[in-house]
Amino acid sequence: MTEQQWLKMYRETVHPLYGYMARRTRGNRELTEDIVQESYLRALDDWNRKAVPDSPLAWLKRVARNILIDYLRQKRWVSKGDLDLNPDSANQTSEDQFESLEIFLAISTLGRKKARILEAFYYDGKSVREIANEMAISERAVEGQLRRARQSLKSLLPDSKTNGGKNE
Amino acid sequence: MSEIYEPDGQFLERLEWQLSSEYRRTNRLKPSSGKIAVPRRMVAITCMVGILMTGVAMIKAAEYIQDSWRKKIEIARAETEVKLKKAHLESTREMASRAEMRFSNGLVREEEYRVIQIAAKRAELDWNKSLLNLDEVKASGAAPRNELYAPEVGGRDFVSERLKIEIKEIELDLELFRSRVERLKQLVEKGLVQGDEFGLIQSEIAARKVTIDKIQKRLDLRKRFVAGEITAQEVEIKDRMTIAERNLHLAQSMVDSLSEQLKRLKTLETKGMISPLEIKQMQYALDAAQAELELATLEMDVLKKLK
């Protein structure tokens, strides 16, 4: 991988990666920037040793998501005051952001299939039809899976935290 | 899409710069193409030291994360870098002292011995640079900045200090190339190699000198910016101009060298000594170099208009 290829890949992926992560951190700019930066540094290290993956963006998203989960897991035993919350950037209170991040962490503990469908619907703002096309299943099946995933999430969180709408 | 889901321009610019320098740093640290046989045991020991150091630094980083984690992580990252560079320096120094012994016993050639010596000097510069970065991170609480228009931190001009180290690194390359020229001269005198091999090394030496000249110009610009003689915007345009001039120079010398080689290959082809495929490959390389030259010329024109 030459430097030009590396920078070209960066320019092509940084906007979608940033958007993907910002939706999961509810617009917490500092946290999103740190995670995006760390993901590219890991990519450089990994791709130099091995090879550039077939879909760099998918690889980066997966790594960024894992970094966020690791970060939230490290913080779960401390108070929200220790989280680097930046409420102004998303017109939210620290309380809102804390809850959003808690919900994201709870979603990550659900099975891969449930987490994928909830994230696609709530964080990436995809419609039931788009998810059905991506997963090659019927819209009805998507609705059923969404309902079951929501129920699983509810059992992990107090009621008030799962009543929000789509993250748009 | 709301703008909170869009990255900020300054962040993008800074990240691109960081990734670009990280790429160059990583590739500089890659071993050369197997010219020196490093004992496997030495490699294993170096790796173990590296892993232990990384482990210690990671534990430290994990402790730091409890409070104001951004600054602490930057410091932990810089400290890890210092430890790794120090470990690398120590192992390289050990290799150099062994090489000295083997050279005095006639077990290795002078060129190999020189390569190891220079690797040790380069490792020392890398270590110095990591110490510099650590000082800057501690003083600013953020990742080191390398833009010519970056402010001084705590009264220290880290940008200039780093540029001076870069010059020393290139001077090490020059030292190596000059020793190769000496060796080649001996081989040519003995009739073991053809004289035209000098051309390649000479062009490498010329390229390094151009780079040193470019860094000197950047140092001068930085000095003027710190003294308040020019604004940040002027610094940026002038800096780009310096880089563009260098690109133009490199592209021109590449075109000249490839044209010369193509001419030589065509002569050989008429004598049936090489295949037409080799001519085609060389022609392709020349076309690419000419395209680079046109691009560099265009960039210069645009920048001159901005001036």
Side-chain angles (χ1 to χ4, degrees):
Chain A
M1 178 174 63
T2 65
E3 189 180 355
Q4 273 181 339
Q5 287 168 330
W6 165 240
L7 290 179
K8 183 170 176 276
M9 185 284 308
Y10 160 74
R11 288 176 199 135
E12 282 170 0
T13 53
V14 69
H15 284 271
L17 178 66
Y18 188 95
Y20 171 86
M21 199 28 66
R23 285 191 292 274
R24 277 149 184 82
T25 62
R26 298 283 281 189
N28 184 322
R29 201 169 273 284
E30 286 191 6
L31 187 56
T32 307
E33 286 180 357
D34 279 349
I35 292 172
V36 168
Q37 179 193 35
E38 184 59 31
S39 307
Y40 281 107
L41 291 175
R42 289 192 191 182
L44 180 61
D45 181 49
D46 191 86
W47 301 352
N48 257 337
R49 279 188 289 109
K50 300 171 191 168
V52 180
D54 292 339
S55 169
L57 181 60
W59 190 98
L60 285 162
K61 281 182 177 175
R62 197 167 58 246
V63 167
R65 184 178 179 274
N66 290 338
I67 296 172
L68 176 62
I69 292 169
D70 284 348
Y71 170 70
L72 295 174
R73 277 183 188 152
Q74 273 176 334
K75 292 289 171 189
R76 73 187 309 179
W77 305 115
V78 297
S79 73
K80 65 175 177 288
D82 290 329
L83 275 168
D84 195 13
L85 299 172
N86 184 14
D88 291 344
S89 61
N91 293 327
Q92 293 175 72
T93 62
S94 293
E95 200 68 39
D96 286 341
Q97 282 202 347
F98 183 65
E99 287 189 1
S100 313
L101 292 172
E102 255 197 338
I103 292 171
F104 178 77
L105 185 58
I107 290 175
S108 73
T109 62
L110 299 173
R112 182 188 285 258
K113 203 168 159 187
K114 284 176 181 168
R116 186 181 164 193
I117 206 162
L118 281 175
E119 282 187 41
F121 190 73
Y122 287 105
Y123 290 100
D124 299 329
K126 289 181 181 165
S127 66
V128 168
R129 177 170 292 176
E130 283 171 319
I131 299 171
N133 285 339
E134 271 178 21
M135 296 175 78
I137 54 175
S138 70
E139 290 181 33
R140 211 185 157 91
V142 171
E143 281 164 0
Q145 285 186 22
L146 256 177
R147 196 173 51 249
R148 285 191 290 279
R150 268 192 225 110
Q151 278 164 358
S152 306
L153 184 61
K154 268 188 182 178
S155 65
L156 292 174
L157 294 165
D159 286 346
S160 61
K161 291 182 184 178
T162 53
N163 290 339
K166 277 176 77 165
N167 186 18
E168 276 299 303
Chain B
M1 183 65 70
S2 164
E3 70 175 37
I4 61 163
Y5 301 131
E6 279 296 314
D8 149 279
Q10 217 176 0
F11 164 71
L12 288 178
E13 204 177 313
R14 195 168 153 195
L15 183 57
E16 181 163 335
W17 167 81
Q18 190 194 3
L19 294 177
S20 163
S21 38
E22 197 63 23
Y23 177 92
R24 285 182 210 144
R25 192 188 61 78
T26 316
N27 283 280
R28 245 204 330 268
L29 287 173
K30 274 187 182 173
S32 60
S33 52
K35 284 181 186 162
I36 311 161
V38 181
R40 282 177 183 217
R41 208 169 59 178
M42 179 66 75
V43 174
I45 291 169
T46 311
C47 288
M48 277 176 66
V49 171
I51 290 165
L52 283 173
M53 292 294 186
T54 312
V56 170
M58 291 286 278
I59 291 166
K60 209 170 174 187
E63 287 167 4
Y64 276 156
I65 216 160
Q66 297 296 324
D67 189 32
S68 63
W69 60 283
R70 178 188 293 272
K71 183 179 176 184
K72 297 286 169 71
I73 281 179
E74 286 298 346
I75 292 176
R77 199 195 297 274
E79 281 177 344
T80 308
E81 192 76 9
V82 169
K83 281 175 185 161
L84 289 174
K85 299 289 181 195
K86 179 79 178 162
H88 179 60
L89 172 63
E90 278 164 7
S91 71
T92 322
R93 273 182 179 160
E94 199 180 326
M95 273 168 67
S97 76
R98 281 185 191 197
E100 195 173 358
M101 213 160 63
R102 295 178 75 204
F103 173 62
S104 60
N105 291 335
L107 294 170
V108 289
R109 285 188 294 127
E110 188 180 354
E111 198 184 344
E112 285 180 27
Y113 164 59
R114 276 184 188 279
V115 168
I116 297 174
Q117 267 191 328
I118 286 173
K121 287 182 191 170
R122 187 181 289 278
E124 190 169 353
L125 289 177
D126 274 349
W127 179 57
N128 287 339
K129 209 192 265 184
S130 68
L131 285 173
L132 200 61
N133 289 345
L134 178 61
D135 284 349
E136 184 174 353
V137 170
K138 278 182 178 169
S140 71
R145 290 185 62 184
N146 231 10
E147 305 93 338
L148 290 187
Y149 47 85
E152 285 183 294
V153 180
R156 267 180 83 177
D157 182 1
F158 288 97
V159 177
S160 294
E161 288 185 50
R162 263 191 296 273
L163 286 173
K164 283 174 190 164
I165 293 181
E166 274 180 37
I167 291 182
K168 284 182 188 164
E169 282 174 343
I170 299 166
E171 279 168 349
L172 286 180
D173 283 347
L174 282 175
E175 198 181 313
L176 189 63
F177 283 128
R178 282 182 188 130
S179 76
R180 280 189 186 155
V181 167
E182 286 306 311
R183 170 93 182 131
L184 256 181
K185 269 184 192 166
Q186 289 170 8
L187 293 174
V188 170
E189 278 167 16
K190 288 176 188 167
L192 294 170
V193 292
Q194 287 185 337
D196 55 3
E197 286 194 29
F198 277 116
L200 195 65
I201 298 184
Q202 295 295 3
S203 66
E204 292 281 0
I205 290 177
R208 298 302 191 284
K209 284 181 177 167
V210 170
T211 310
I212 289 183
D213 189 43
K214 187 204 91 180
I215 300 174
Q216 284 290 4
K217 281 185 182 168
R218 298 190 79 208
L219 264 171
D220 291 343
L221 274 178
R222 174 72 184 167
K223 205 172 158 187
R224 289 177 64 196
F225 171 71
V226 172
E229 291 171 14
I230 46 175
T231 64
Q233 198 186 1
E234 284 169 332
V235 171
E236 197 182 353
I237 294 174
K238 283 177 194 288
D239 188 29
R240 279 175 184 266
M241 186 72 109
T242 311
I243 294 168
E245 273 171 9
R246 177 184 165 244
N247 290 343
L248 186 67
H249 185 278
L250 288 177
Q252 185 61 63
S253 47
M254 183 61 88
V255 167
D256 294 345
S257 153
L258 289 174
S259 306
E260 193 58 40
Q261 286 183 50
L262 183 64
K263 217 165 108 186
R264 217 177 54 223
L265 284 183
K266 278 184 176 165
T267 320
L268 292 175
E269 193 205 9
T270 53
K271 292 176 187 168
M273 291 169 78
I274 56 160
S275 72
L277 186 66
E278 283 180 68
I279 299 283
K280 265 189 185 173
Q281 283 173 337
M282 185 55 75
Q283 185 64 54
Y284 176 74
L286 180 60
D287 290 346
Q290 269 164 345
E292 288 283 340
L293 180 61
E294 278 167 28
L295 190 68
T297 314
L298 188 71
E299 194 179 0
M300 280 293 291
D301 289 346
V302 172
L303 288 168
K304 272 179 189 163
K305 278 174 195 158
L306 275 177
K307 230 178 165 184

